[in-house]
Structures are given as C-alpha cells and as structure tokens.
C-alpha cells in the first residue's frame, strides 16, 4: 500500500506543471484573480489541466515511462504490461487514459495528503493545548469549543479517511494498469515476430555449429586414424594427414569462436535478425574442404561445371555459403558412415541456353558413394532423420530449393537443387 501511495504522490507531482499553467489562464479569465486563493478557481484550473494531460499522454514514450512506474510501485506482475513504446493509436489512446487517470487521481490524493495530516494534528492536540481551544474551529454539531474532546475523534476519522481514499485509489490504479498498459493485439503480434526472428537466427547459428564442428570431428577422427595406420609405412601421407588435422581444427576453432561470440551477446544477437559470422563459401573454400577430406584416406572425385564463368566467384553470396555447407554435410556423412569412394558433381543449369552468369537458373549438387556410406540408415528415413541432413534441407529451403538423400540406383545419393533467381543474393 505504501508503494501505491508513493505512486499516487508521483502522479500529483507530474500534474503540477499542467496545473500551474491552467491556474494562470483561469486567473486571467477571472479578471486577474488569484486562483490559488479560491477553491472554485483551483478546481477549475484542475479540470482544465486534465485535457492537456490527455493530449500529452498520446506521445509514444509515455507508455514505457508509465509501465516502469506501475511495475515498480503498483504491485502488478510485470509480465502483464506491454513492452516498449505504443505502436498504434489504440495503444496510445489507452496509455493516454492511464496517464490522465494517474495524474488526476494522484493530484487529489496528493492534495489530501498535504491538507489532512496538519488538520488532524490540530484536532488531536486541541483538548490539551489551551490556545487551540480558543480557535474558531467549530464544525456544526461537533462544536470543538463546547465539546473539546470530540476533536481527537474527528482527527482520527480524517486520518482514517485519508488512508482509505489512498488505498482505494491505489487499488483502482492497480486493477486498471494491466487493462490500459497491457499489450494490444499489435504488441502481441510484434512480440511474436521478434521471437520468431530470434529463433530463426539461433537455429541458423545451431546449424552453423553442427555443420562446422560435426564435419571437423568426423574429418579429424578419420585423418588421425589414417595417419596412425600408415605412420611407419608411409610417413609422407601421415604428415599430410597431420597437416590437414591442424588446418581443420584451426578453421573450426575460428568458426566456433565467431558463433559463440554471438551467442554470448544474448538477445542482441537475434533481435535484428543478422550479425551472423562470416561463413566459408563454395567459391573460396571448396578446394580446401576437398583436400582436408581426402587427407582422411577416402577417395573423392569432384567434377565442377561453373559454366563459362570459369569459377564459382559469380555465385550470389548466400547461395555460395549454403552450397558449401551442403557439400560439407554430404562429405561428413560419407566420412562418418563408410569408406567408399565419393563422387561429387557440382554444376549449374542455364536458362534458355544463355551463357551469361545472370541467366543461370539453378545450382545442382550431387554426391554419391557406396551403400556402406549410408550404413545404419534406413532407406528413405535418412533424409529427415539426421540433424545434418535436416539442416541441409533447411538451408536449401531458405533459397526455395530442396535436398533429397537416400538410396539411388544401388548407391547412396545426396542431391540438392538451389535456385539462382533474382531473389537470391
């Protein structure tokens, strides 16, 4: 209750600038009278101040300021309030109604809090102070001069009335706070969109972690195993495998540090929907990926057809990033599930037979290897069962493409098609 009383006093203090302005105007309109010395003029100034309060309550920043005060002082659970500035005029209207109610009721309780305690003290002390008994403070049937011991009862009644009024006003504001300062439908929609954007970024960060770390662990395990097996018989290959392990771990630690750095930023990483670390691309990093994978001892045949452009540098940045991760995931599956040779083919399809990069219609990635590479995977279930392949499908879906993975003509095949339309950048 004490905090609610403080909240009301704060409202009365906030009304003072409006009241002082309208007091001057009312005094001028009343022929230069002092509005402070006249109760009717003071009430008129108070009434004239409320429309001004309502107008200023329409500003967007009034709601977060009101929410902060109500959350701290009204005793209402914080989750029942809206967050941030009012986005719509309906929300501004509700915030304005709360602002006017808070300041208007707060001013009345503040005035009572200033006037009632001194009067109550006088009434309580009247029977015991001779000078006070001579004051003309008769109250009709409660004549304090004829019945001085009635005065303390009146003083106690005044204090009790003040407490009841303050408690009632505080309870009223606490009940109306969630109604007028709670989230509107637009606020809930905006909050849901923000949460969805945050989850989308976090899911992408999770995919980046899975693809980078999962592939690195698979490659490093096989590279170390291959180096151990031929350490005595083929030291040169063992040195190549160890160098590949060093390169793989160094690159993966860099990617891991970038992703974890964003996760440590908390909500700030996801709020804007961006801020993702620089990821490897098909144009810049495919050759290194193939070299590190070959160092594990698995033969990989790679056929690339980037068209007349000669390399993959012309690819849109997002398509180049997602294509690299899809190739990486395919190689990771081959490294984890078998030792058969891998046949990788990456090509572009041309629209209308044109040879300019701008006319390329889609990028196709096909990777096949022995059925042993899919050991432990039920036919047809691998496409959605593994997190890596599910992540590859999600990457393709972001570009409007698709990924197929499973048995095909006696071998295990991963096939991805990524559109290269004008919407892909």
């Amino acid at each position: 209750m004490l905090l609610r009383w403080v909240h009301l006093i704060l409202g009365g203090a906030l009304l003072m600038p409006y009241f002082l302005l309208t007091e001057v105007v009312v005094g001028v309109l009343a022929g230069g009278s002092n509005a402070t010395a006249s109760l009717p003029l003071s009430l008129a100034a108070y009434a004239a101040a409320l429309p001004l309060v309502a107008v200023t309550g329409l500003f967007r920043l009034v709601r977060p300021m009101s929410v902060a005060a109500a959350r701290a002082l009204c005793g209402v659970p914080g989750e029942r309030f809206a967050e941030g500035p009012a986005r719509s005029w309906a929300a501004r209207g509700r915030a304005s109604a709360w602002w006017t109610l808070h300041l208007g009721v707060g001013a009345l309780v503040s005035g009572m809090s200033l006037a009632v305690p001194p009067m109550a003290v006088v009434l309580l002390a009247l029977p015991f102070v001779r000078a006070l008994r001579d004051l003309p403070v008769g109250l009709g049937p409660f004549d304090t001069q004829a019945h001085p011991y009635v005065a303390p009862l009146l003083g106690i009644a005044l204090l009790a009335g003040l407490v009841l009024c303050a408690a009632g006003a505080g309870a009223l504001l606490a009940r109306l706070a969630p109604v007028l300062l709670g989230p509107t439908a637009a606020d809930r929609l905006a909050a849901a969109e923000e949460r969805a954007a945050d989850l989308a970024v976090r899911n992408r960060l999770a995919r980046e972690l899975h693809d980078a770390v999962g592939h690195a662990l698979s490659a490093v395990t096989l590279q170390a195993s291959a180096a151990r097996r031929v350490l005595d018989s083929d030291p040169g290959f063992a040195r190549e495998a160890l160098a590949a392990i060093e390169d793989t771990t160094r690159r993966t630690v860099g990617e891991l540090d970038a992703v974890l750095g964003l996760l440590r930023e908390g909500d700030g990483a996801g709020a804007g929907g961006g801020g993702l670390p620089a990821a490897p691309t098909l144009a810049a990093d495919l050759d290194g990926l193939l070299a590190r994978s070959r160092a594990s001892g698995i033969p990989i045949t790679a056929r690339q057809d980037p068209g007349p452009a000669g390399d993959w540098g012309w690819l849109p940045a997002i398509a180049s990033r997602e294509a690299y991760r899809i190739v990486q995931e395919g190689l990771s599956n081959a490294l984890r599930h078998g030792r058969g040779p891998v046949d990788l083919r990456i090509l572009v399809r041309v629209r209308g037979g044109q040879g300019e990069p701008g006319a390329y219609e889609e990028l196709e990635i096909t990777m096949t290897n022995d059925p042993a590479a899919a050991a432990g995977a039920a036919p047809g279930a691998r496409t959605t069962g593994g997190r890596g392949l599910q992540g590859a499908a999600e990457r393709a879906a972001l570009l409007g493409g698709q990924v197929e993975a499973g048995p095909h003509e006696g071998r295990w095949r991963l096939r991805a098609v990524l559109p290269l339309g004008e919407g892909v950048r």
Side-chain angles (χ1 to χ4, degrees), residues 77-350:
E79 63 271 12
R80 300 184 64 184
F81 292 108
E83 298 291 343
R87 294 179 171 88
S88 64
W89 282 106
R92 294 189 190 189
R94 291 166 57 182
S96 175
W98 166 264
W99 182 250
T100 306
L101 181 67
H102 178 207
L103 271 62
V105 175
L108 295 177
V109 173
S110 298
M112 294 172 59
S113 299
L114 290 174
V116 169
M119 184 182 302
V121 170
V122 169
L123 292 174
L124 289 171
L126 191 143
F128 312 104
V129 181
R130 186 178 185 84
L132 293 177
R133 289 200 297 269
D134 296 335
L135 294 175
V137 290
L139 300 174
F142 305 104
D143 189 346
T144 56
Q145 290 182 335
H147 308 285
Y149 293 100
V150 174
L153 298 178
L154 295 177
I156 293 173
L158 286 176
L159 291 176
L162 173 62
V163 172
L164 290 176
C165 288
L172 174 66
L173 291 184
R175 179 178 292 273
L176 293 178
V179 177
L180 299 177
L181 297 178
T184 62
D187 293 323
R188 294 189 180 95
L189 178 61
E193 291 175 348
E194 290 176 0
R195 286 194 296 271
D198 182 73
L199 288 175
V201 172
R202 292 181 182 276
N203 286 338
R204 182 165 180 180
L205 290 174
R207 287 197 302 270
E208 295 291 334
L209 279 175
H210 175 274
D211 291 351
V213 177
H215 173 80
L217 290 176
S218 298
V220 165
T221 300
L222 289 177
Q223 288 161 354
S225 177
R228 178 181 55 80
R229 288 195 306 268
V230 301
L231 181 61
D232 296 326
S233 61
D234 192 352
F237 180 82
R239 283 193 294 270
E240 291 179 5
L242 292 174
I245 291 174
E246 180 183 5
D247 182 55
T248 300
T249 53
R250 181 185 298 112
R251 293 171 58 87
T252 305
V253 166
E255 294 183 42
L256 181 63
D257 183 66
V259 174
L260 292 180
L262 287 178
L263 292 176
R264 276 192 290 266
E265 293 177 8
D267 293 339
L276 291 170
T281 63
L282 195 70
D285 302 283
L286 177 61
D287 292 340
L289 174 64
L290 294 175
R292 292 188 298 275
S293 300
R294 289 186 179 113
S296 65
I298 294 182
I300 299 176
T301 301
R303 291 176 290 171
Q304 304 181 46
D305 183 11
D311 57 38
W312 300 111
W314 59 268
L315 276 178
I318 186 172
S320 188
R321 291 194 301 268
E322 304 306 336
Y324 175 90
R325 289 304 193 191
I326 291 172
V327 172
Q328 185 184 56
E329 175 56 32
L331 291 174
S332 296
N333 275 272
L335 293 173
R336 282 195 298 266
H337 301 303
R339 299 230 179 351
V342 177
D343 182 16
L344 169 65
R345 185 178 181 187
I346 308 174
L347 57 85
V348 291
R349 298 184 183 277
V350 181

Side-chain angles (χ1 to χ4, degrees), residues 3 6 23 34 70 72 91 114 121 129 131 141 166 197 202 228 256 277 306 320-321 366-368 414 419-420 424:
L3 289 178
V6 172
E23 188 180 44
N34 185 0
L114 290 174
V121 170
V129 181
R202 292 181 182 276
R228 178 181 55 80
L256 181 63
S320 188
R321 291 194 301 268
T366 306
M367 188 179 306
T368 59
L414 182 146
L420 299 177
V424 179

